[in-house]
Amino acid sequence: MTLALIDYQAGNLHSVENALRAAGCADLTVTADPEVVRHADRIVLPGVGAFGACAASLRAVPGMVAALEERVLGQGTPFLGICVGMQLLAATGEELGTHRGLGWIDGRVRRIDPAGSEAKVPHMGWNDVVPHGAGHPLIVPGEAYFLHSYAFEGTGVVATTDHAGPVTAAIARDTVLGVQFHPEKSQRYGLALLERFLSWRP
């Protein structure tokens, strides 16, 4: 099983790589090469920073978006987006203007507006992950580490967390999963999620 960890100058690659290897991924390539993506059995898109800057950085890698769409949307390769890598699945992001996302899952990314005065932005630290409805085979109840000021609103929500009101923790569609929290910083919970992703047969 081969895994492509996408390098587009917008992710905490070292920590994510270490976590994936700790979860049992032996054949991992950190890559900005679309041809590597086209032959990978699993794809992970991390992301740290502002939505617009991350979207621009991803599109600046020649052929990368086309390779991702071909492999994931066209061929059903399991995909995991982490933090801003999850947010980029939305149609638009409203951080420092309105920016176009990948549009794989219908929704938008907006600034968190907590109802309680004691809830601060950014939402930072450990918080519960609560599966929704029928849930998702990779998402189980537990605590994960969050660090973000913007959150997804739209379809495909499979888990939320509470920050003076519900905030999206995970979204999914077909073979695509996105998590707002950081598995690489979520200790046992995060490693267990990555283990499930590596063995997932959707």
Side-chain angles (χ1 to χ4, degrees), residues 141-171:
E143 279 192 320
Y145 187 85
F146 292 80
L147 177 55
H148 62 119
S149 298
Y150 289 75
F152 176 90
E153 298 176 359
T155 64
V157 176
V158 295
T160 58
T161 190
D162 181 72
H163 191 61
V167 174
T168 298
I171 59 178

Side-chain angles (χ1 to χ4, degrees), residues 50-141:
F51 184 104
C54 288
S57 294
L58 184 61
R59 290 193 171 95
V61 181
M64 182 57 77
V65 170
L68 288 170
E69 291 179 343
E70 175 185 322
R71 196 75 178 106
V72 179
L73 300 185
Q75 300 171 357
T77 300
F79 172 96
L80 175 64
I82 297 173
C83 196
V84 180
M86 180 208 87
Q87 295 180 0
L88 291 177
L89 300 174
T92 58
E94 299 178 6
E95 184 173 1
L96 303 175
T98 300
H99 308 276
R100 183 167 56 96
L102 292 170
W104 292 4
I105 297 179
D106 187 30
R108 59 183 179 174
V109 175
R110 304 182 68 193
R111 184 170 173 82
I112 299 170
D113 184 20
S117 59
E118 295 181 1
K120 300 186 183 303
V121 177
H123 171 215
M124 179 171 62
W126 290 86
N127 213 337
D128 289 334
V129 176
V130 181
H132 269 213
H136 189 277
L138 302 190
I139 301 295
V140 301

